[in-house]
Amino acid sequence: MSPPPFCPSSTPCPLFPTCTSSFMTDASFLRVSVAAVLLLLLGGTVPPAHAQSMGASPLKRSLPPDTAITKTDRVTVKGEEVPYEVTTGTQPVYGDDDTAVASLHYTYYRRSDVDDRSGRPLMISFNGGPGSGSLWMHLGYTSPKHLLISDEGYPVQPYGVEDNNQSIIDVADIVYVNPVNTGFSRVIDDDTDAEQFFGVNADVDYLADWIDTFISRHGRWRSPKYLIGESYGTTRVAGLAGELQNSHWTYLNGVILVSPTGLGMEPAGPSPRSEALKLPYYAATAWYHEQLPDALQSRDLQALLSEVEDYTIEEYIPAVTRGGFVEDARRQAVAQQVARYSGLSEPFVLDHNLAVPADAFWKELLQDEGRTVGRLDSRYEGIDVTNAGSEYDYPAELTAWNHAFTPAINHYLRDDLGFTTDLQYNTFGNVYPWDETENNTGAQLREAMAQNPYLHVMVQSGYYDGATDYFSAKYVMWNLGTRETMRDRLRFEGYRSGHMMYLRSEDLATSNEDIRTFIEESIPDEGTPARYGRNR
């Protein structure tokens, strides 16, 4: 085929390799357009210059806002073979005028041998950040697939996934949701203000609406419903419990808080996650790294932590509360005991006015050995460029997790499930500036529990988590259950791991079993009324 006398491209193309003209007439444009269509029909591609000359928009990486693909699989859980469908796709977020303004990517696991879904629980799962994708609990915790890692949670090669024999798919269907700018979720309306998504309350508002639509689409209105959130995801699900109940008339059976934040609470005592509450975590970490005196190091971890918790409440917090007005003898005695429990030196504790910041602890504990300890999981050790300094260079645990999780989620979604897109999977997405004002999510959850006698809450925490430490998590739970009538609907479970306790194989089994028990205990017997007081 000979090239036309004029061509819109200054570079060779598969249609007309010898064409280098940058000018054309209307007649030649028609010939080029017809030839381009023929090429497309034959399975070829049109170069960008020709495509733009034909009136096409510049290519932009995107996803259809409403699409899904479904595959079937099966997994063995507790000796039982469980068949399931896995659907991954996108569902729109609708604005005030009911037009799509964003699209959220999700992955939904549905046990396929269940005919009646009215008694089948639905678990809705969120991670944190607030800009973190849902990959962590998706491939690390509850789904039928689990990333390839060592028994203690360290990355291994080759990267990939395997069956998760501890999954809760035997007792619940699960959907993993990526908020805007995480995973493959994106804003699709360029005129939409980011403030509609990026803030404590904005986040809760649009996600509640999205969940409402998801429940309707999948026919789950009769199902017992649960939310599970990790880290900032606990702030998210605490707020969602109230928003779903009060604005969407959707009542939950349970909320699971994995490594919870302070939930915006301002209790009468110390602020959640303050240095004064971290002493039990320091003791756990020092015990793990064998930095305690022999009399403490030889004890069982649980027994040791019980003692340190009592000391924190009865002696340590009252002393720190007095600040510079604590008596010298008492200051010295407290410094000695804090050093004994934390594996630090007395002068170091005194130099920090009895309340050692966590970042100083992570650098100091193993400094004599030339190591740092991780923030989210202090079992992990790192190496800084210099041993001097007051803070570590990088979080050893997060680096290791990114090492394994990002290849695994991309391989699983793209290769195993066949979800095709040029979009980057945002392990961590840009959601800033994030509006943190008016964070009343803890109060929203407490109110939802008060209004809904069916609603139960479980807290799961790792003893070696230095970001959302386990004792602060207990403290948050205590202040959720300010009324005695709520105590029997609140429970705490601790694990010998860190922020993502499920990465340790022993705790993966235990924590999933705790979820099964929680689900069983939070579903009332058929016909049981949701009410307080005596039956009359």
Side-chain angles (χ1 to χ4, degrees):
M1 187 185 334
S2 299
F6 305 103
C7 179
S9 177
S10 59
T11 57
C13 72
L15 276 173
F16 308 111
T18 61
C19 174
T20 58
S21 175
S22 59
F23 174 79
M24 70 175 177
T25 65
D26 289 343
S28 64
F29 173 77
L30 177 61
R31 287 194 293 271
V32 172
S33 299
V34 171
V37 171
L38 289 172
L39 181 66
L40 289 171
L41 291 173
L42 292 172
T45 58
V46 180
H50 292 295
Q52 292 178 27
S53 72
M54 294 163 60
S57 300
L59 291 176
K60 181 180 179 180
R61 286 190 289 193
S62 63
L63 267 176
D66 201 349
T67 187
I69 57 174
T70 299
K71 291 196 171 184
T72 59
D73 206 342
R74 54 187 62 239
V75 64
T76 300
V77 179
K78 301 182 70 175
E80 176 190 11
E81 188 175 71
V82 179
Y84 64 89
E85 294 176 347
V86 52
T87 299
T88 190
T90 55
Q91 178 186 296
V93 175
Y94 295 104
D96 292 338
D97 60 355
D98 291 327
T99 59
V101 294
S103 180
L104 301 193
H105 177 254
Y106 67 92
T107 304
Y108 175 41
Y109 294 89
R110 175 181 176 273
R111 182 166 180 164
S112 55
D113 61 351
V114 175
D115 295 325
D116 182 5
R117 303 268 158 195
S118 63
R120 174 80 174 166
L122 173 65
M123 183 76 69
I124 304 166
S125 179
F126 292 96
N127 272 99
S132 179
S134 65
L135 70 165
W136 311 103
M137 289 203 292
H138 181 179
L139 292 189
Y141 197 1
T142 51
S143 90
K145 294 296 182 182
H146 193 267
L147 83 164
L148 294 170
I149 50 176
S150 75
D151 286 346
E152 289 296 313
Y154 292 88
V156 297
Q157 290 185 332
Y159 305 118
V161 297
E162 61 186 352
D163 284 346
N164 180 8
N165 303 122
Q166 309 299 335
S167 170
I168 62 169
I169 189 65
D170 57 325
V171 298
D173 298 332
I174 322 149
V175 57
Y176 301 88
V177 185
N178 293 288
V180 170
N181 273 14
T182 73
F184 293 134
S185 299
R186 300 290 190 274
V187 175
I188 59 176
D189 181 355
D190 293 337
D191 295 328
T192 299
D193 193 335
E195 291 181 359
Q196 182 172 336
F197 309 107
F198 301 151
V200 174
N201 296 302
D203 181 69
V204 165
D205 287 346
Y206 87 82
L207 287 173
D209 188 69
W210 190 93
I211 291 170
D212 187 310
T213 302
F214 183 89
I215 291 171
S216 294
R217 285 189 175 194
H218 294 273
R220 302 309 297 262
W221 280 105
R222 299 183 67 199
S223 301
K225 300 168 191 68
Y226 295 81
L227 298 176
I228 181 171
E230 178 179 86
S231 196
Y232 184 85
T234 61
T235 301
R236 183 171 279 142
V237 299
L240 280 169
E243 181 67 15
L244 285 169
Q245 187 167 299
N246 294 324
S247 298
H248 295 266
W249 310 282
T250 302
Y251 287 69
L252 304 171
N253 282 67
V255 173
I256 301 174
L257 306 176
V258 180
S259 303
T261 64
L263 306 183
M265 297 175 64
E266 297 182 0
S271 298
R273 299 166 68 187
S274 69
E275 282 84 358
L277 293 173
K278 287 188 180 293
L279 183 58
Y281 150 72
Y282 291 164
T285 301
W287 181 90
Y288 178 83
H289 290 286
E290 299 181 349
Q291 298 296 305
L292 296 179
D294 290 343
L296 298 180
Q297 193 66 53
S298 61
R299 296 179 62 182
D300 176 72
L301 178 62
Q302 296 297 123
L304 172 64
L305 293 183
S306 179
E307 176 183 315
V308 180
E309 289 176 16
D310 288 343
Y311 176 81
T312 299
I313 295 170
E314 304 297 337
E315 301 290 340
Y316 183 46
I317 290 176
V320 172
T321 301
R322 289 182 176 272
F325 288 81
V326 66
E327 301 87 349
D328 287 344
R330 188 178 182 188
R331 181 194 306 276
Q332 193 64 46
V334 170
Q336 182 180 19
Q337 190 69 307
V338 169
R340 183 169 177 266
Y341 284 145
S342 65
L344 304 172
S345 69
E346 286 183 41
F348 190 80
V349 174
L350 286 168
D351 285 346
H352 287 90
N353 297 327
L354 303 181
V356 177
D359 53 1
F361 175 80
W362 300 324
K363 180 73 174 182
E364 177 71 14
L365 182 66
L366 300 182
Q367 196 165 27
D368 289 346
E369 301 175 17
R371 298 283 192 273
T372 62
V373 298
R375 169 178 174 263
L376 293 164
D377 191 331
S378 295
R379 297 175 303 147
Y380 289 70
E381 299 179 21
I383 303 174
D384 286 351
V385 173
T386 64
N387 201 36
S390 59
E391 298 180 3
Y392 59 43
D393 292 347
Y394 66 96
E397 77 298 334
L398 188 59
T399 301
W401 297 341
N402 290 338
H403 202 307
F405 271 90
T406 303
I409 192 66
N410 278 280
H411 162 71
Y412 178 59
L413 293 175
R414 299 176 193 272
D415 301 335
D416 287 359
L417 298 186
F419 193 78
T420 304
T421 178
D422 285 342
L423 284 178
Q424 173 178 282
Y425 184 96
N426 285 342
T427 301
F428 300 102
N430 182 9
V431 297
Y432 299 100
W434 186 267
D435 184 1
E436 298 183 11
T437 59
E438 297 185 23
N439 179 358
N440 298 310
T441 54
Q444 287 177 282
L445 178 56
R446 184 194 296 123
E447 182 180 87
M449 289 187 71
Q451 294 175 358
N452 178 8
Y454 284 159
L455 180 54
H456 291 62
V457 172
M458 178 169 68
V459 174
Q460 295 183 302
S461 288
Y463 298 126
Y464 308 126
D465 179 3
T468 56
D469 63 283
Y470 89 90
F471 193 57
S472 288
K474 278 189 176 182
Y475 185 66
V476 166
M477 183 189 71
W478 293 338
N479 284 277
L480 281 174
T482 52
R483 294 294 302 274
E484 295 83 353
T485 52
M486 290 185 183
R487 287 182 185 173
D488 61 347
R489 291 186 284 140
L490 288 158
R491 61 183 289 178
F492 175 89
E493 299 293 343
Y495 308 91
R496 299 192 180 200
S497 190
H499 195 72
M500 299 195 290
M501 69 289 300
Y502 44 80
L503 296 186
R504 180 170 175 260
S505 60
E506 181 178 327
D507 290 323
L508 174 67
T510 304
S511 56
N512 273 301
E513 191 60 30
D514 288 337
I515 293 178
R516 287 189 187 86
T517 302
F518 177 72
I519 290 174
E520 180 181 0
E521 292 179 351
S522 58
I523 297 178
D525 294 335
E526 185 173 347
T528 301
R531 58 171 293 177
Y532 295 115
R534 296 184 297 273
N535 290 325
R536 298 183 188 277

